[in-house]
Amino acid sequence: MAARSLTERRKNETRLDIARTAASLFVADGLRATRAEDVARAAGVAPRTFYRYFATKEEAVAPLFAAGAQQWAEAVRRAPEGLSVPEALRHAVTDALAAEDAAAVASLDWVRSLLRMARESAALRAVWADACHASEETLLALLMERVSAAEPTPELRLAAGVASAAVRVAVESWAAGDAPAGGGGGLAALAVRCLGALDDFPWP
């Protein structure tokens, strides 16, 4: 079990290394000019290793999108039990998207650059859409746990969908502008604002 866990960690680290390398090359050289082989070479892996993890060069940045979604999911899970669902969601985005250190700011800067590129790339938009869908499914499972639901009712699916959409709109709106990652005008504040627009929603 321990050996398998170590192997999985190494695989995840390799995936993230490739993702960061791909994002760096996309920003420096342009998405169209960058080949999967260029990413593999810069990441120090063989092309066959690259294709073992990713089917296309665009998919190589999926771990960067997934990392942010995972942070939000973990923050929802950590939210105090006494909070209502909307309170827990606002607490979670404040926690996960606060960008309080250099690593968090750098990660959000990658996301901003990639989402701007996605305007001109259907393949990159598809990667972002897949990440958003996966995040919504994770949130649905967390909401089920939070309200002790045995089944994913339509109401819970709707709650996960609108909450995920609010955060997605916040991320995309922030990425389209020039506001800093943190602070009062940062991403966390914008996400709280978008969730606040749902105050009249019938949360479970």
Side-chain angles (χ1 to χ4, degrees), residues 93-190:
V93 294
T94 301
D95 183 15
L97 303 178
E100 295 178 340
D101 56 53
V105 171
S107 179
L108 288 175
D109 283 343
W110 286 129
V111 170
R112 168 176 268 162
S113 296
L114 292 169
L115 288 181
R116 288 180 174 181
M117 290 180 206
R119 298 172 187 168
E120 307 298 328
S121 169
L124 200 52
R125 287 197 300 274
V127 174
W128 171 240
D130 285 346
C132 291
H133 178 71
S135 177
E136 181 179 326
E137 290 297 308
T138 299
L139 181 59
L140 172 61
L142 291 171
L143 292 182
M144 288 175 61
E145 291 178 12
R146 193 162 193 91
V147 301
S148 301
E151 298 291 336
T153 64
E155 291 79 8
L156 281 170
R157 288 189 179 279
L158 183 58
V162 297
S164 296
V167 175
R168 176 182 57 78
V169 167
V171 173
E172 291 175 350
S173 298
W174 172 82
D178 296 312
L187 178 54
L190 183 55

Side-chain angles (χ1 to χ4, degrees), residues 2-16:
R4 186 161 60 248
S5 297
L6 179 59
T7 299
E8 287 303 315
R9 284 200 300 273
R10 286 174 176 167
K11 286 182 178 179
N12 289 336
E13 288 170 2
T14 299
R15 283 173 56 86
L16 196 53

Side-chain angles (χ1 to χ4, degrees), residues 13-66:
E13 288 170 2
T14 299
R15 283 173 56 86
L16 196 53
D17 284 344
I18 294 173
R20 290 174 178 144
T21 301
S24 179
L25 289 178
F26 292 169
V27 171
D29 301 333
L31 178 61
R32 184 171 298 180
T34 302
R35 303 172 304 160
E37 291 76 12
D38 299 326
V39 176
R41 185 183 307 109
V45 300
R48 66 178 179 276
T49 300
F50 176 93
Y51 285 114
R52 188 181 306 145
Y53 289 102
F54 306 107
T56 67
K57 65 181 182 181
E58 290 86 1
E59 286 184 16
V61 299
L64 296 180
F65 291 148

